[in-house]
Amino acid sequence: MADILSQDRSSLVVSLEQVDTHLRWLSSWMVHNANHIRVKRDGLKVGGHQASCASMTAIMSALYFYALRPQDKVAVKPHAGPVLHAIHYLLEEQTLDRMQRFRGLGGVQSYPSRTKDTIPVDFSTGSVGLGVAVTAFSSLVQDYLIAHGQLREEDAGRMIALMGDAELDEGNIYECLIEGYKHDLRNCWWIVDYNRQSLDATTADRMFSRFDDIFETCGWRVVTLKYGRKQREAFKQPGGKALEAWIDNCSNAEYAALTYQGGAAWRSRLIADIGTNPGVQKLLASFDDAALAALMTNLGGHCVETLIDAFDAANDDRPTLFIAYTVKGFGLPLAGHKDNHSGMMNPAQMDRFRTSLGIAEGREWEPWRELGGNAAAQLKAFVEASPIARKLREPVAETVPVPPRLSVPEGAEQSTQAAFGRILLDLAKSGDPLADRIVTTAPDVTQTTNLGAFVNQRGLFRRQELADVFHQAKIPSAQKWSQHAAGQHIELGIAENNFFIMLTSLGLAAPHFGTRLLPVGTVYDPFIARGLDALNYGCYSDSRFLLVGTPSGITLAGEGGAHQSINTPLIGMGQPNLTYFEPAYADELTVMMRWAFDHMQRPDGGSVYLRLTTRSIPQIARDGDDWEADALQGGYWLRRPTEGAEAAIVFTGVVATEALAAWEQLADDIPGIGLLNVTSPDMLHRGWSARRAARWTEGTLAPCHAEMLLSALAPGAGLVTIIDGSPSALSWLGGVKGMRVSPLGTDRFGQTGDLPDLYRLYRLDADAIVDAAAELFLEN
Ligand SMILES: Cc1ncc(C[n+]2csc(CCOP(=O)(O)OP(=O)(O)O)c2C)c(N)n1
Ligand SMILES: [Mg+2]
């Protein structure tokens, strides 16, 4: 910022205003080009949001070219994506070709994307609200790294969200506010583009002052930027007070409508309402219509002076909400119209806009050109000297070594959930460097998902130490809840959305801060659905975490239908960048967790989801470890079929016991029957579809794992598939080699009961498997 500060303030303001104009032009032009100039092949609207961009260009000019420091990170309101690209175009970090292919294949993405865009994008955005909250959680991650000696306090950046005002309607914002307050959030700015318009309409007047209260209650400083400099000066003139009061009392909808109608409409309305005040008459007379329109729309969020003053003043680490009043579509003929969200300038309007800026036809993509030699060179130099131009590329974090094996918890009978807790505890005790990088988190289910032992060992994270009152009072408890800076568990409130955004932020620590963390989060399996959009957001951002959904299924018998997850296997299978495993035995889980810690760190890796259970089942004896490689590809024969066998039982997870019992019963009647343990329906299915797709992409692939496994059976053999979840997670296996399938699983809501009752009722017991096998042969 030093170079910029050495400029005198008035030339700084002029430069920022020029950048603002260029950003408004380039973002509008990019959208226009894609919709009106580029050749269309499909007759579909390309889309883009000129009004939403124009609303924010001054804010983004002041932020990016003045206030932002190289270590700061920004989440940009999704539909202002073109402005971000225009900024990087001015910095010569975005190509003309990609700008011209906005919303086309390989071009600029509609909404800023960490993974799909080529410019630096700190946070993906798209689903409104999530990109806002992620900045708060990333700030907590930054504090975690500082407290753990992985980042210097002086290198702490601000995590900044540029948000639309309608994003304030998203519930996840308030869940995040509460969590942020509990965790003493700092270094976070949210800048609201307060144009008081959403997609459908102008927003409710009643909320005017409520946001201040809500945020201040949660420890935020609220800075309202309502008036621009021109307005503030006018308010000092005779009649100015009346004008100010009129503005303050005007409804959102009326202000927007008058903005759209322009100077003459402003004048007649103001004269009608406050024209009896002689000062007002004189004041209005001092502006022609165009100047009056400019005055009335000179709101704080369009005035770079007001913006930079406000950014300068917030020069500490307190979380700050800037409410920057703006006009949606500012400077465009769409300004203020309630339908302008998806509205676009037509070619004639665009032409007038271009001419008004002095941009020559055919020179639309050439920034600064219209300014002429010296001024253009100066502005180019200004942009190149800005801190954003010195923004560092994302670091490549070192890989945390993963031991070749994790130790398998002992016990003749175990549940996968208990084994999970044990594996983490053993790691915590081992002193292995891997354990130091694990961060656990849970939405108020730490104890009931077996994270407690790890937390006892490694402590809860908190910047300021907090004693465990129960422990100090010598009240017996299995849980030690002392909180300190070295703790490795981040305890969250019950909001699952926060949990997934926390995982997202932790899992981005490597690219964001250069230190890899290995986040492990536990949640009751059915409540994954509660945070599903945030989970999707994390995966889309290519964040890396280990998600443990436990307990799961009808097996959670006593908890009943509201807590028994049914469709989570399908979520696991359908979610890109997430690999789903469901182990039956503790030794499988051990192998999967090791794989996960490795996979989470690979350039082409991703996140991992483990679906676990609290039901203890007898573990099995193994001859060697041949099964492991197959288990990591999605399945292995627990009882290998004899060559050409006519049938197999195919199971996933906790119903292993029932599957084994049925297999024993059927072994006499169906010679050589196999018992296939599908450890990951997801991997098997992905392998199979990749194999089919390969025929028209990269040539034929080797047979997929599902084919390899099933080719042990006779052609046209029968399969009984069973999972404590949606049967479709496994029933597709029949399509791999054209086999008949009798699918078992749950596809209706469960209820309370004990396991024998529920397994019988929902057809998950050995009898059901035997019956299903008989059906296969009867139908034959
Ligand atoms: C979760 C979610 N729901 C709906 C949408 C569709 N959508 C995109 S922008 C928008 C309204 C945005 O209004 P505001 O945040 O005020 O932004 P503005 O364009 O006014 O700056 C909606 C409903 C979305 N992107 N994400
Ligand atoms: Mg809005």
Side-chain angles (χ1 to χ4, degrees):
M1 213 186 295
D3 318 350
I4 289 184
L5 286 181
S6 63
Q7 275 200 325
D8 73 72
R9 195 180 152 82
S10 58
S11 64
L12 168 68
V13 168
V14 170
S15 300
L16 291 174
E17 283 173 353
Q18 283 171 333
V19 171
D20 168 16
T21 307
H22 274 85
L23 295 179
R24 193 170 331 119
W25 163 253
L26 279 172
S27 53
S28 290
W29 180 247
M30 192 189 314
V31 175
H32 183 80
N33 176 72
N35 285 276
H36 292 287
I37 297 177
R38 200 166 71 204
V39 177
K40 265 194 208 140
R41 298 183 305 172
D42 53 10
L44 294 178
K45 175 185 155 189
V46 179
H49 303 86
Q50 290 173 332
S52 302
C53 288
S55 190
M56 272 226 133
T57 50
I59 295 173
M60 289 178 75
S61 170
L63 181 71
Y64 278 85
F65 294 99
Y66 177 72
L68 207 64
R69 304 162 307 173
Q71 71 271 36
D72 297 342
K73 301 192 194 310
V74 190
V76 177
K77 179 182 82 168
H79 33 304
V83 184
L84 180 66
H85 289 277
I87 287 173
H88 286 279
Y89 183 64
L90 294 182
L91 290 163
E92 296 181 5
E93 290 175 346
Q94 179 55 288
T95 64
L96 173 61
D97 173 55
R98 287 209 179 83
M99 298 280 279
Q100 289 177 330
R101 283 188 291 135
F102 170 59
R103 291 186 169 223
L105 189 65
V108 161
Q109 299 295 296
S110 347
Y111 309 117
S113 169
R114 286 185 55 76
T115 52
K116 311 275 176 205
D117 276 318
T118 50
I119 57 162
V121 173
D122 298 328
F123 301 99
S124 298
T125 54
S127 180
V128 299
L130 299 182
V132 179
V134 76
T135 58
F137 287 98
S138 290
S139 183
L140 296 181
V141 171
Q142 179 171 261
D143 276 344
Y144 181 94
L145 291 171
I146 292 171
H148 284 78
Q150 302 284 353
L151 192 72
R152 297 180 322 163
E153 173 68 37
E154 54 270 34
D155 292 335
R158 265 188 204 114
M159 304 296 131
I160 302 172
L162 296 172
M163 60 193 286
D165 53 330
E167 293 195 75
L168 288 164
D169 285 332
E170 286 287 359
N172 86 282
I173 297 284
Y174 304 95
E175 295 180 350
C176 164
L177 268 190
I178 293 170
E179 202 59 58
Y181 186 65
K182 289 192 251 174
H183 287 271
D184 198 12
L185 174 70
R186 58 186 192 132
N187 288 317
C188 191
W189 280 5
W190 289 355
I191 306 172
V192 187
D193 173 357
Y194 202 54
N195 58 30
R196 293 146 291 141
Q197 279 186 251
S198 59
L199 189 157
D200 280 338
T202 48
T203 51
D205 296 298
R206 288 176 66 94
M207 285 311 294
F208 261 140
S209 60
R210 296 280 70 115
F211 293 124
D212 308 30
D213 299 349
I214 296 169
F215 277 75
E216 278 164 2
T217 300
C218 292
W220 287 59
R221 166 175 48 213
V222 178
V223 178
T224 301
L225 310 177
K226 186 161 184 182
Y227 318 107
R229 185 177 57 77
K230 280 190 224 158
Q231 286 194 343
R232 292 195 305 270
E233 278 167 6
F235 298 158
K236 289 185 207 146
Q237 307 292 321
K241 281 269 162 294
L243 180 64
E244 183 178 0
W246 184 90
I247 291 177
D248 286 350
N249 290 327
C250 185
S251 73
N252 289 343
E254 282 186 287
Y255 211 89
L258 286 165
T259 299
Y260 180 70
Q261 290 167 306
W266 281 116
R267 188 179 306 280
S268 54
R269 180 59 187 273
L270 288 168
I271 286 175
D273 285 358
I274 49 173
T276 51
N277 179 323
V280 168
Q281 277 190 14
K282 210 165 147 219
L283 185 64
L284 294 181
S286 68
F287 295 94
D288 65 17
D289 281 354
L292 184 61
L295 173 73
M296 296 306 284
T297 54
N298 177 244
L299 302 177
H302 297 304
C303 174
V304 292
E305 286 184 80
T306 306
L307 287 159
I308 62 176
D309 282 349
F311 294 154
D312 277 345
N315 199 13
D316 53 21
D317 66 3
R318 200 162 157 209
T320 303
L321 179 79
F322 296 93
I323 301 181
Y325 276 68
T326 52
V327 167
K328 191 155 171 171
F330 180 79
L332 312 182
L334 316 165
H337 196 292
K338 72 180 175 58
D339 303 336
N340 67 8
H341 185 78
S342 314
M344 255 174 236
M345 285 183 272
N346 63 31
Q349 289 173 318
M350 196 67 203
D351 227 40
R352 282 198 291 278
F353 183 40
R354 178 181 58 71
T355 319
S356 74
L357 298 178
I359 295 170
E361 204 170 354
R363 304 282 192 202
E364 293 88 351
W365 294 107
E366 296 175 27
W368 324 134
R369 198 181 174 94
E370 77 289 355
L371 297 175
N374 248 354
Q378 264 174 19
L379 203 54
K380 191 163 186 291
F382 170 78
V383 161
E384 282 165 4
S386 64
I388 173 81
R390 292 195 295 276
K391 190 172 166 75
L392 305 171
R393 287 277 152 176
E394 287 190 340
V396 177
E398 275 180 31
T399 305
V400 184
V402 179
R405 298 194 80 80
L406 303 181
S407 52
V408 179
E410 284 179 13
E413 289 209 355
Q414 295 188 58
S415 73
T416 48
Q417 179 179 308
F420 160 75
R422 186 73 221 184
I423 293 165
L424 275 187
L425 172 63
D426 289 347
L427 259 173
K429 284 184 174 164
S430 70
D432 193 287
L434 177 73
D436 297 339
R437 295 297 181 82
I438 291 176
V439 189
T440 56
T441 186
D444 199 22
V445 290
T446 300
Q447 304 182 34
T448 43
T449 56
N450 279 56
L451 273 181
F454 179 86
V455 178
N456 283 346
Q457 198 67 29
R458 293 282 173 149
L460 271 95
F461 169 69
R462 190 161 201 101
R463 276 198 299 133
Q464 282 92 24
E465 208 138 309
L466 211 68
D468 179 347
V469 172
F470 280 73
H471 186 71
Q472 282 182 332
K474 301 202 168 44
I475 300 172
S477 161
Q479 310 293 329
K480 291 187 223 144
W481 285 82
S482 69
Q483 312 191 21
H484 49 84
Q488 284 179 242
H489 174 73
I490 301 180
E491 178 66 7
L492 296 174
I494 203 166
E496 283 76 13
N497 235 301
N498 280 339
F499 164 74
F500 282 108
I501 306 177
M502 180 85 248
L503 279 181
T504 300
S505 301
L506 287 165
L508 287 172
H512 276 168
F513 304 109
T515 295
R516 191 172 290 282
L517 294 175
L518 296 164
V520 178
T522 59
V523 59
Y524 287 176
D525 198 54
F527 304 133
I528 284 179
R530 186 65 172 260
L532 207 48
D533 195 26
L535 168 64
N536 183 58
Y537 173 74
C539 292
Y540 181 65
S541 302
D542 198 25
S543 167
R544 305 298 180 82
F545 48 81
L546 175 59
L547 167 67
V548 178
T550 187
S552 60
I554 291 272
T555 304
L556 189 55
E559 289 282 321
H563 274 49
Q564 295 161 343
S565 61
I566 292 174
N567 63 4
T568 42
L570 304 183
I571 292 172
M573 292 175 76
Q575 180 62 54
N577 288 7
L578 185 76
T579 304
Y580 148 55
F581 283 102
E582 184 159 349
Y585 300 111
D587 53 1
E588 291 171 6
L589 175 64
T590 312
V591 170
M592 290 166 188
M593 283 176 70
R594 201 215 82 86
W595 184 89
F597 290 130
D598 180 73
H599 184 68
M600 284 154 71
Q601 304 194 61
R602 290 188 178 271
D604 59 348
S607 290
V608 179
Y609 160 43
L610 299 172
R611 187 170 184 257
L612 308 184
T613 175
T614 40
R615 178 186 174 205
S616 269
I617 61 170
Q619 304 294 295
I620 46 162
R622 306 274 190 194
D623 313 324
D625 48 23
D626 289 357
W627 59 274
E628 290 182 4
D630 276 1
L632 289 176
Q633 290 191 67
Y636 67 98
W637 287 108
L638 190 58
R639 296 288 180 263
R640 200 169 284 281
T642 54
E643 197 58 40
E646 292 292 338
I649 300 169
V650 181
F651 75 94
T652 288
V654 68
V655 288
T657 309
E658 287 63 36
L660 256 173
W663 180 85
E664 273 159 19
Q665 286 181 46
L666 288 167
D668 286 343
D669 297 334
I670 309 176
I673 182 173
L675 179 60
L676 182 63
N677 181 353
V678 174
T679 46
S680 172
D682 182 24
M683 279 200 139
L684 281 193
H685 191 271
R686 273 171 214 270
W688 178 51
S689 23
R691 152 91 156 142
R692 310 302 298 175
R695 285 178 308 163
W696 62 88
T697 52
E698 58 230 77
T700 41
L701 272 190
C704 64
H705 192 55
E707 271 173 288
M708 302 283 281
L709 291 166
L710 293 175
S711 52
L713 301 172
L719 306 175
V720 176
T721 62
I722 179 165
I723 180 170
D724 182 1
S726 301
S728 46
L730 293 177
S731 58
W732 61 270
L733 277 164
V736 175
K737 291 189 79 72
M739 293 172 176
R740 287 160 300 125
V741 174
S742 195
L744 297 174
T746 49
D747 49 14
R748 43 199 176 112
F749 285 115
Q751 56 186 301
T752 50
D754 67 5
L755 266 194
D757 274 346
L758 290 188
Y759 274 19
R760 180 174 40 78
L761 200 58
Y762 290 87
R763 295 182 51 76
L764 290 174
D765 60 4
D767 286 350
I769 299 173
V770 172
D771 289 350
E775 276 159 28
L776 279 174
F777 290 99
L778 285 177
E779 280 165 11
N780 214 0

